[in-house]
Amino acid sequence: VRLEESGGGLVQPGGSLRLSCEGSGFSFSNFWMNWVRQAPGEGLEWVANIKNDGSEINYGDSVKGRFTISRDNARNSVYLHMNTLRAEDSALYYCYCAAGGVLDVWGQGTMVTVSS
Amino acid sequence: QALVTQEPSLTVSPGGTVTLTCASSTGPVTSGHRPFWYQQKPGQAPRTLIYDTNNRHSWTPDRFSASLLGGKAALTLSGAEPEDEAEYYCLLLCRGPWVFGGGTKLTVL
């Protein structure tokens, strides 16, 4: 059971980036998926989640209107499209699946740095 | 969006007991918030200790227990060991958005 993030990197303020997270070893299409971020030296911040079939989506206040979460169950993948990036979006972005006692798995994270 | 508050830091002696709490700015924490608790050590991804208020995962040591206490979620560590020194976060599943607490840095000393 594994989640693997990719797509992080250095981007200029105002720029865009797309993060990807691929799941393996479990029935990806059955579970809600989350993105969680952690700025250097700071705490965890929940970013967004998406229902297993994509029919429900929620965002944290700090990213609403700028970030879009989506998924492709055929590819066992969830994505985070990030637009209008700011310095304060710089963080390690984790993919996370929490399903009570059935499944609980974190990725290792992908780093996003927003800087000119 | 609710503000979730934890003690910034706590210290416990080896073998001792300590309780970490998690409060919501919108009112009492209830089982409806489905509180989660996480442990994070430097350089590592978080590890989920507790889900749905008081349920341990198979990998969660028995010395960790959780409950609702005085309108807050609570994580109790009984018989602290040196490897329990870490940052601990709670998570509340509010209507729609999820919200993490600011974390408690637990020192075992």
Side-chain angles (χ1 to χ4, degrees), chain A residues 100-115:
Chain A
V102 175
L103 182 71
D104 194 291
V105 58
W106 289 80
Q108 286 303 303
T110 186
M111 188 69 202
V112 173
T113 303
V114 184
S115 174

PDB file of all heavy atoms in Angstrom, chain A residues 100-115:
ATOM      1  N   GLY A 100     -10.578   5.291   8.089  1.00  0.00           N
ATOM      2  CA  GLY A 100     -10.830   4.616   9.351  1.00  0.00           C
ATOM      3  C   GLY A 100      -9.895   3.453   9.548  1.00  0.00           C
ATOM      4  O   GLY A 100      -8.701   3.545   9.292  1.00  0.00           O
ATOM      5  N   GLY A 101     -10.459   2.333   9.978  1.00  0.00           N
ATOM      6  CA  GLY A 101      -9.650   1.153  10.219  1.00  0.00           C
ATOM      7  C   GLY A 101      -9.339   0.364   8.965  1.00  0.00           C
ATOM      8  O   GLY A 101      -8.577  -0.598   9.008  1.00  0.00           O
ATOM      9  N   VAL A 102      -9.899   0.793   7.851  1.00  0.00           N
ATOM     10  CA  VAL A 102      -9.712   0.055   6.594  1.00  0.00           C
ATOM     11  C   VAL A 102      -8.371   0.384   5.960  1.00  0.00           C
ATOM     12  O   VAL A 102      -7.653  -0.500   5.493  1.00  0.00           O
ATOM     13  CB  VAL A 102     -10.853   0.393   5.612  1.00  0.00           C
ATOM     14  CG1 VAL A 102     -10.612  -0.265   4.260  1.00  0.00           C
ATOM     15  CG2 VAL A 102     -12.189  -0.030   6.197  1.00  0.00           C
ATOM     16  N   LEU A 103      -8.031   1.687   5.941  1.00  0.00           N
ATOM     17  CA  LEU A 103      -6.828   2.122   5.235  1.00  0.00           C
ATOM     18  C   LEU A 103      -6.386   3.457   5.797  1.00  0.00           C
ATOM     19  O   LEU A 103      -7.221   4.329   6.054  1.00  0.00           O
ATOM     20  CB  LEU A 103      -7.129   2.257   3.741  1.00  0.00           C
ATOM     21  CG  LEU A 103      -5.968   2.666   2.837  1.00  0.00           C
ATOM     22  CD1 LEU A 103      -4.964   1.519   2.721  1.00  0.00           C
ATOM     23  CD2 LEU A 103      -6.486   3.040   1.453  1.00  0.00           C
ATOM     24  N   ASP A 104      -5.105   3.616   5.960  1.00  0.00           N
ATOM     25  CA  ASP A 104      -4.552   4.907   6.358  1.00  0.00           C
ATOM     26  C   ASP A 104      -3.124   4.968   5.833  1.00  0.00           C
ATOM     27  O   ASP A 104      -2.257   4.231   6.292  1.00  0.00           O
ATOM     28  CB  ASP A 104      -4.574   5.069   7.876  1.00  0.00           C
ATOM     29  CG  ASP A 104      -4.328   6.511   8.296  1.00  0.00           C
ATOM     30  OD1 ASP A 104      -3.193   6.998   8.106  1.00  0.00           O
ATOM     31  OD2 ASP A 104      -5.257   7.156   8.791  1.00  0.00           O
ATOM     32  N   VAL A 105      -2.904   5.823   4.841  1.00  0.00           N
ATOM     33  CA  VAL A 105      -1.590   5.862   4.202  1.00  0.00           C
ATOM     34  C   VAL A 105      -1.221   7.280   3.806  1.00  0.00           C
ATOM     35  O   VAL A 105      -2.063   8.030   3.306  1.00  0.00           O
ATOM     36  CB  VAL A 105      -1.526   4.906   2.994  1.00  0.00           C
ATOM     37  CG1 VAL A 105      -2.588   5.232   1.967  1.00  0.00           C
ATOM     38  CG2 VAL A 105      -0.147   4.884   2.373  1.00  0.00           C
ATOM     39  N   TRP A 106       0.029   7.633   4.066  1.00  0.00           N
ATOM     40  CA  TRP A 106       0.614   8.910   3.701  1.00  0.00           C
ATOM     41  C   TRP A 106       1.697   8.694   2.641  1.00  0.00           C
ATOM     42  O   TRP A 106       2.431   7.705   2.709  1.00  0.00           O
ATOM     43  CB  TRP A 106       1.288   9.574   4.907  1.00  0.00           C
ATOM     44  CG  TRP A 106       0.382  10.092   5.961  1.00  0.00           C
ATOM     45  CD1 TRP A 106      -0.231   9.366   6.956  1.00  0.00           C
ATOM     46  CD2 TRP A 106      -0.017  11.451   6.152  1.00  0.00           C
ATOM     47  NE1 TRP A 106      -0.987  10.202   7.755  1.00  0.00           N
ATOM     48  CE2 TRP A 106      -0.869  11.484   7.287  1.00  0.00           C
ATOM     49  CE3 TRP A 106       0.256  12.649   5.486  1.00  0.00           C
ATOM     50  CZ2 TRP A 106      -1.442  12.664   7.762  1.00  0.00           C
ATOM     51  CZ3 TRP A 106      -0.309  13.820   5.958  1.00  0.00           C
ATOM     52  CH2 TRP A 106      -1.152  13.820   7.081  1.00  0.00           C
ATOM     53  N   GLY A 107       1.810   9.631   1.715  1.00  0.00           N
ATOM     54  CA  GLY A 107       2.967   9.649   0.837  1.00  0.00           C
ATOM     55  C   GLY A 107       4.147  10.279   1.551  1.00  0.00           C
ATOM     56  O   GLY A 107       4.037  10.705   2.706  1.00  0.00           O
ATOM     57  N   GLN A 108       5.278  10.345   0.864  1.00  0.00           N
ATOM     58  CA  GLN A 108       6.479  10.947   1.444  1.00  0.00           C
ATOM     59  C   GLN A 108       6.578  12.441   1.133  1.00  0.00           C
ATOM     60  O   GLN A 108       7.431  13.134   1.695  1.00  0.00           O
ATOM     61  CB  GLN A 108       7.729  10.225   0.959  1.00  0.00           C
ATOM     62  CG  GLN A 108       7.902   8.867   1.609  1.00  0.00           C
ATOM     63  CD  GLN A 108       7.939   8.973   3.128  1.00  0.00           C
ATOM     64  OE1 GLN A 108       8.755   9.685   3.711  1.00  0.00           O
ATOM     65  NE2 GLN A 108       7.035   8.254   3.812  1.00  0.00           N
ATOM     66  N   GLY A 109       5.707  12.929   0.261  1.00  0.00           N
ATOM     67  CA  GLY A 109       5.655  14.357   0.001  1.00  0.00           C
ATOM     68  C   GLY A 109       6.462  14.802  -1.200  1.00  0.00           C
ATOM     69  O   GLY A 109       7.430  14.160  -1.593  1.00  0.00           O
ATOM     70  N   THR A 110       6.038  15.936  -1.770  1.00  0.00           N
ATOM     71  CA  THR A 110       6.775  16.582  -2.846  1.00  0.00           C
ATOM     72  C   THR A 110       6.888  18.060  -2.506  1.00  0.00           C
ATOM     73  O   THR A 110       5.905  18.673  -2.071  1.00  0.00           O
ATOM     74  CB  THR A 110       6.101  16.350  -4.212  1.00  0.00           C
ATOM     75  OG1 THR A 110       6.929  16.884  -5.259  1.00  0.00           O
ATOM     76  CG2 THR A 110       4.718  16.992  -4.294  1.00  0.00           C
ATOM     77  N   MET A 111       8.079  18.613  -2.674  1.00  0.00           N
ATOM     78  CA  MET A 111       8.354  19.971  -2.203  1.00  0.00           C
ATOM     79  C   MET A 111       8.019  21.006  -3.256  1.00  0.00           C
ATOM     80  O   MET A 111       8.413  20.868  -4.429  1.00  0.00           O
ATOM     81  CB  MET A 111       9.833  20.084  -1.821  1.00  0.00           C
ATOM     82  CG  MET A 111      10.178  21.391  -1.146  1.00  0.00           C
ATOM     83  SD  MET A 111       9.426  21.481   0.483  1.00  0.00           S
ATOM     84  CE  MET A 111       9.420  23.270   0.709  1.00  0.00           C
ATOM     85  N   VAL A 112       7.315  22.033  -2.863  1.00  0.00           N
ATOM     86  CA  VAL A 112       7.001  23.169  -3.728  1.00  0.00           C
ATOM     87  C   VAL A 112       7.654  24.414  -3.133  1.00  0.00           C
ATOM     88  O   VAL A 112       7.445  24.711  -1.943  1.00  0.00           O
ATOM     89  CB  VAL A 112       5.474  23.375  -3.848  1.00  0.00           C
ATOM     90  CG1 VAL A 112       5.166  24.661  -4.596  1.00  0.00           C
ATOM     91  CG2 VAL A 112       4.842  22.172  -4.539  1.00  0.00           C
ATOM     92  N   THR A 113       8.427  25.108  -3.935  1.00  0.00           N
ATOM     93  CA  THR A 113       9.048  26.354  -3.508  1.00  0.00           C
ATOM     94  C   THR A 113       8.617  27.465  -4.445  1.00  0.00           C
ATOM     95  O   THR A 113       8.815  27.363  -5.665  1.00  0.00           O
ATOM     96  CB  THR A 113      10.577  26.241  -3.505  1.00  0.00           C
ATOM     97  OG1 THR A 113      10.981  25.158  -2.661  1.00  0.00           O
ATOM     98  CG2 THR A 113      11.221  27.530  -3.009  1.00  0.00           C
ATOM     99  N   VAL A 114       8.010  28.495  -3.878  1.00  0.00           N
ATOM    100  CA  VAL A 114       7.549  29.639  -4.654  1.00  0.00           C
ATOM    101  C   VAL A 114       8.490  30.816  -4.358  1.00  0.00           C
ATOM    102  O   VAL A 114       8.483  31.367  -3.258  1.00  0.00           O
ATOM    103  CB  VAL A 114       6.102  30.011  -4.326  1.00  0.00           C
ATOM    104  CG1 VAL A 114       5.629  31.158  -5.231  1.00  0.00           C
ATOM    105  CG2 VAL A 114       5.190  28.800  -4.475  1.00  0.00           C
ATOM    106  N   SER A 115       9.289  31.155  -5.348  1.00  0.00           N
ATOM    107  CA  SER A 115      10.298  32.197  -5.130  1.00  0.00           C
ATOM    108  C   SER A 115      10.765  32.759  -6.475  1.00  0.00           C
ATOM    109  O   SER A 115      10.798  32.038  -7.475  1.00  0.00           O
ATOM    110  CB  SER A 115      11.491  31.633  -4.372  1.00  0.00           C
ATOM    111  OG  SER A 115      12.532  32.588  -4.260  1.00  0.00           O
TER     112      SER A 115
END
